[in-house]
């Protein structure tokens, strides 16, 4: 029985491509939130050299001290090429909405997709962070997965 | 397509073993941990350390874990430290930009698992750049957990 790495390699081979799979983290950084309610957006651009197979999401949030802030409502909205990955209800405590840790844990307990998302090379992921109640000084989001670097056979 | 459960380290090591076999090698895996220390990572500063892979075997890194203390020895959960990791022999970075330590490294009981283990060849190095955003020194040990792949010519 093939394992998942072989499945991915076979998928690309069916398109006439060899593939090298590399662990990678795309990161959305919000380094200066200022300690007040915020509505900020940043764009994560997928490199041109490879597709990105996205497995899980990790978030670290701070209020200036080396501890986590886990109260309050935060909405994290992800768009990829115009497709929303979340509903826009800001008060909804659900994956990708509500308390910031509803959408991502840290490395020790990441928020894992039930089915990985493939972000094509040169695509973009728009990450919007809105804090309604809680005050953060900085927020760090990482999307973990694999780069699929292809070569023509 | 596939389930993330399919990306177990054991499954990957099996397929890696097949690859070595095709090249005429038998492989034996032994658990191993490479660690680097920032003792200390001084306040509001940037420092670099290198993970130096031994000459005897490739290293397959499957998980990342950390431990952090203040200068007086008190444990810290998730210090405000940004990290970037670069494999030196091909200059491949593992992150698009430096990100929080807690996004990359977990703890011993709950390490940060890599869905696709990272292969570091024998004699290679990986550079870790760390930026302390806090106004106090931090003592941090970063551990890279995986297996050494000992190769021998197949009979």
């Amino acid at each position: 029985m093939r394992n998942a790495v072989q499945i991915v390699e076979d998928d690309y081979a069916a398109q006439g491509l060899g593939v090298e799979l590399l662990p990678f983290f795309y990161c959305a950084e919000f380094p200066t939130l200022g300690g007040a309610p915020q509505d900020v957006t940043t764009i994560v651009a997928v490199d041109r050299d490879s597709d990105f197979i996205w497995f899980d999401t990790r978030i670290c949030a701070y209020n200036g001290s080396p501890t986590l802030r886990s109260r309050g409502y935060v909405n994290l909205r992800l768009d990829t090429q115009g497709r929303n990955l979340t509903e826009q209800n800001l008060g909804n405590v659900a994956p990708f909405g509500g308390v910031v840790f509803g959408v991502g844990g840290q490395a020790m307990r990441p928020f894992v997709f039930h089915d990985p998302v493939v972000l094509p090379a040169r695509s973009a992921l728009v990450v919007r962070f809105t804090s309604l109640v809680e005050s953060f000084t900085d927020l760090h989001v990482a999307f973990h997965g694999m780069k699929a670097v292809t070569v023509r056979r | 397509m596939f389930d993330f459960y399919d990306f177990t380290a054991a499954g990957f090591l099996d397929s890696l073993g097949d690859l070595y076999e095709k090249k005429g090698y038998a492989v034996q895996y032994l658990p191993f941990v490479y660690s680097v220390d920032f003792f200390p990572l001084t306040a509001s500063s940037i420092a670099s350390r290198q993970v130096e892979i031994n000459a005897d075997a490739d290293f397959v890194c499957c998980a990342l874990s950390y431990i952090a203390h203040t200068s007086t020895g008190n444990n810290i959960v998730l210090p405000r430290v940004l990290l970037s990791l670069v494999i030196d022999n091909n200059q491949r970075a593992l992150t698009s930009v430096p990100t929080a330590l807690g996004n990359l490294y977990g703890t011993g009981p709950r390490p940060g698992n890599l869905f696709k283990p990272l292969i570091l060849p024998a004699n290679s190095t990986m550079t870790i750049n760390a930026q302390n955003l806090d106004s106090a020194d931090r003592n941090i040990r970063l551990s890279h957990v995986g297996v050494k792949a000992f190769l021998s010519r197949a009979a």
Side-chain angles (χ1 to χ4, degrees):
Chain A
M1 183 177 180
R2 297 177 303 161
N3 67 36
V5 172
Q6 293 167 322
I7 292 172
V8 172
E9 289 173 340
D10 290 347
D11 280 348
Y12 279 97
Q15 303 170 52
L17 298 168
V19 66
E20 183 184 4
L21 300 172
L22 304 169
F24 197 74
F25 297 82
Y26 278 101
C27 306
E29 296 289 304
F30 300 88
T32 52
L33 294 176
Q38 293 280 339
D39 184 354
V40 290
T41 299
T42 191
I43 295 175
V44 176
V46 178
D47 292 335
R48 59 188 301 155
D49 65 348
S50 56
D51 296 338
F52 181 61
I53 304 174
W54 173 19
F55 287 98
D56 69 45
T57 305
R58 297 122 185 256
I59 296 180
C60 283
Y62 297 91
N63 71 334
S65 60
T67 56
L68 301 173
R69 299 291 283 185
S70 58
R71 297 174 298 155
Y73 285 94
V74 170
N75 179 276
L76 186 65
R77 183 166 66 89
L78 309 177
D79 296 320
T80 172
Q81 295 181 320
R83 176 170 292 178
N84 290 333
L85 298 183
T86 70
E87 197 178 13
Q88 296 200 33
N89 183 349
L90 296 181
N92 186 25
V93 180
F96 300 113
V99 176
V100 67
F101 298 112
V103 67
Q106 296 87 43
M108 46 186 129
R109 273 190 171 172
F111 178 84
V112 183
F113 285 120
H114 293 95
D115 194 28
V117 176
V118 180
L119 300 179
R122 297 193 189 87
S123 64
L125 196 60
V126 180
V127 181
R128 181 180 179 186
F129 170 72
T130 306
S131 66
L132 302 180
V133 175
E134 194 68 358
S135 300
F136 296 87
T137 52
D138 49 303
L139 183 83
H140 311 273
V141 185
F143 308 105
H144 174 223
M146 305 188 300
K147 276 194 167 188
V149 182
T150 55
V151 291
R152 282 279 167 195
R153 293 191 161 188
Chain B
M1 187 178 167
F2 48 76
D3 193 297
F4 76 91
Y5 290 112
D6 293 327
F7 283 85
T8 60
F12 174 76
L13 292 175
D14 272 347
S15 66
L16 184 62
D18 292 342
L19 198 62
Y20 282 124
E21 200 176 293
K22 282 182 191 171
K23 297 184 177 182
Y25 292 96
V27 63
Q28 181 187 22
Y29 295 121
L30 289 176
F32 200 79
V33 180
Y34 282 98
S35 295
V36 293
D37 295 330
F38 293 84
F39 285 170
L41 183 63
T42 53
S44 306
S45 72
I46 298 174
S48 294
R49 298 288 186 275
Q50 283 194 321
V51 178
E52 297 179 354
I53 306 302
N54 299 148
D56 60 353
D58 295 342
F59 178 63
V60 184
C61 179
C62 301
L64 309 173
S65 66
Y66 81 97
I67 189 163
H69 296 97
T70 65
S71 53
T72 54
N74 294 319
N75 190 44
I76 297 174
V77 176
L78 293 175
R80 280 177 77 220
V81 171
L82 299 184
L83 296 176
S84 64
L85 285 71
V86 178
I87 302 169
D88 293 321
N89 64 339
N90 56 18
Q91 289 302 301
R92 281 197 186 277
L94 266 70
T95 63
S96 58
V97 295
T99 192
L101 178 153
N103 284 339
L104 303 176
Y105 290 77
T107 57
R110 292 198 177 102
N113 289 309
L114 296 174
F115 275 106
K116 169 64 166 54
L118 176 65
I119 300 177
L120 296 170
N123 273 323
S124 67
T125 57
M126 180 169 70
T127 296
I128 300 174
N129 300 303
Q131 180 180 4
N132 186 358
L133 301 179
D134 284 328
S135 54
D137 294 355
R138 302 297 180 213
N139 292 329
I140 297 171
R141 169 165 286 185
L142 303 175
S143 295
H144 308 85
V145 183
V147 296
K148 278 192 172 186
F150 292 95
L151 304 180
S152 58
R153 279 287 177 190

